[in-house]
Amino acid sequence: MTRNELDAAGIHDPALRADYLRCRQLNARHGRTYFLATRLLPAARRPAVHALYGFARWADDIVDDLERSAGPAPREARLDRLADELSRALRTGRGHEPVVRALAHTAATYRIDHRHFTDFMASMRSDLTVTDYPTFAHLRHYMHGSAAVIGLQMLPVLGHVVPREAAEPHAAALGVAFQLTNFLRDVGEDLDRGRIYLPADLLTAHGVDRARLRWSRRTGRHDHRITAALRDFAALTRGYYRRALPGIPMLDPVARPCIRTAYVLYGGIVTAVERDGYAVLHRRSAVRRRVRAAVALDGLVRVGAARLLAARTARTGAPGRPLPAEEAA
């Protein structure tokens, strides 16, 4: 199937095929929900999504390297080298790292704005020294580079049936919704790394601070004030899902099942956190397997319908159209 994807994408150079395969492996290993949704895309578009994910994962792993005895300097040096190689690869198509070469090829193929990668690297660099955010406005600035631009990078790959500037705000909102979901799910793990992504003003409003979070993490005990803060953060996260939803019917019909599946599964993580009583400091909440299977099956049915529509459109020449948001969802 991997060869079929690369063939469909017109990627025939053996070295470049190996680069894309490396990205696909990273997606399969680390992005379980994301990888499942990617399988619903037309084969020709999957390698590009793997390249975008693979690069983001590569940079994120540098930042989250837990070998911190020497401080942030070694990781900063690695990020600097990656940024230099990325800049060179985007200009020339050449680089040493497989994920960088695949990303540069994807960026050229889909004409992705290079500023999105620059903004992403800026947010990755801030993770080396910034450990908390005083307000949601500060967090939102960080998320522009770490999450919103991921949605903007994806948009040309997915395709759209409206002008790009109309679809971009919704694509950016979906990237932010996904990252907020990760922040909610991973509060305990991030705390172990010394980071708190819940804004300080939200925590303070409920009488919560870093010390109280550490106490709960260490003792396994619950605190109604922490639960209230997490409930507010979950509500904020759902607000971004609502902002993103109108963007799904703006996508190419064959891409909608993929994004809808990711939308439902990531939103399901928020539901799982709520179901588990906001116990994210003590365990990792996950969407139940039977739910994942049902969502995936629904996605496959929608893929079949979208491909039939695409074939009919190809015969008649009628363009795709946006659907009402409720129909797309």
Side-chain angles (χ1 to χ4, degrees):
M1 181 60 72
T2 302
R3 288 197 297 269
N4 291 343
E5 292 174 357
L6 294 170
D7 290 341
I11 301 169
H12 303 298
D13 176 79
L16 191 57
R17 288 169 74 92
D19 296 338
Y20 274 99
L21 178 59
R22 173 60 177 148
C23 294
R24 186 182 189 277
Q25 291 168 341
L26 286 170
N27 195 354
R29 183 180 308 132
H30 297 289
R32 184 173 61 174
T33 298
Y34 201 66
F35 184 77
L36 174 62
T38 301
R39 299 290 300 154
L40 299 177
L41 279 176
R45 303 189 200 184
R46 294 175 205 161
V49 177
H50 295 321
L52 294 173
Y53 180 92
F55 178 80
R57 182 77 237 182
W58 190 265
D60 197 53
D61 283 348
I62 292 174
V63 171
D64 284 343
D65 183 355
L66 294 180
E67 297 297 329
R68 292 172 172 242
S69 57
R75 288 174 290 135
E76 185 174 10
R78 289 177 64 192
L79 271 185
D80 287 342
R81 289 195 296 272
L82 181 60
D84 289 343
E85 182 168 356
L86 173 63
S87 178
R88 182 170 58 253
L90 289 173
R91 291 194 315 269
T92 68
R94 295 188 297 273
H96 298 295
E97 293 289 350
V99 294
V100 175
R101 292 192 296 265
L103 180 75
H105 181 264
T106 289
T109 300
Y110 289 94
R111 299 181 180 179
I112 299 173
D113 192 330
H114 292 182
R115 289 177 299 176
H116 298 329
F117 304 113
T118 301
D119 291 346
F120 172 77
M121 292 302 294
S123 285
M124 291 301 97
R125 187 171 282 105
S126 76
D127 263 335
L128 297 176
T129 55
V130 178
T131 59
D132 50 41
Y133 296 85
T135 68
F136 185 72
H138 290 86
L139 181 63
R140 189 170 58 237
H141 177 75
Y142 163 79
M143 289 190 297
H144 167 74
S146 63
V149 298
I150 303 298
L152 297 175
Q153 291 168 20
M154 283 282 294
L155 191 56
V157 178
L158 298 172
H160 40 88
V161 296
V162 299
R164 184 181 296 187
E165 58 269 22
E168 282 182 335
H170 305 291
L174 188 58
V176 171
F178 288 170
Q179 185 162 66
L180 288 171
T181 300
N182 288 338
F183 289 162
L184 178 64
R185 180 194 61 194
D186 298 340
V187 170
E189 296 173 19
D190 287 331
L191 189 63
D192 292 342
R193 297 186 178 101
R195 298 196 200 112
I196 299 176
Y197 288 106
L198 278 64
D201 60 350
L202 182 150
L203 293 174
T204 301
H206 294 282
V208 178
D209 57 13
R210 182 182 290 263
R212 184 160 297 278
L213 291 174
R214 284 178 170 169
W215 166 84
S216 180
R217 177 72 167 168
R218 182 181 69 253
T219 64
R221 295 177 65 181
H222 294 264
D223 186 306
H224 68 90
R225 290 165 291 188
I226 294 175
T227 299
L230 292 170
R231 186 180 293 113
D232 278 1
F233 194 78
L236 187 154
T237 301
R238 289 201 182 278
Y240 272 86
Y241 279 102
R242 288 192 293 273
R243 294 185 197 183
L245 182 59
I248 297 178
M250 297 179 182
L251 299 175
D252 185 335
V254 297
R256 291 172 194 165
C258 165
I259 300 306
R260 179 194 176 277
T261 296
Y263 180 98
V264 173
L265 288 176
Y266 264 93
I269 295 173
V270 181
T271 301
V273 169
E274 295 166 344
R275 178 198 69 214
D276 293 342
Y278 300 94
V280 291
L281 281 164
H282 314 127
R283 62 179 177 177
R284 185 183 180 95
S285 296
V287 178
R288 288 169 175 160
R289 186 171 298 177
R290 66 175 181 273
V291 175
R292 290 170 56 85
V295 173
L297 179 60
D298 179 70
L300 288 172
V301 171
R302 289 172 182 263
V303 164
R307 290 178 181 174
L308 285 173
L309 175 63
R312 187 181 310 122
T313 299
R315 290 195 303 271
T316 63
R321 63 176 178 87
L323 296 174
E326 62 273 15
E327 184 178 344

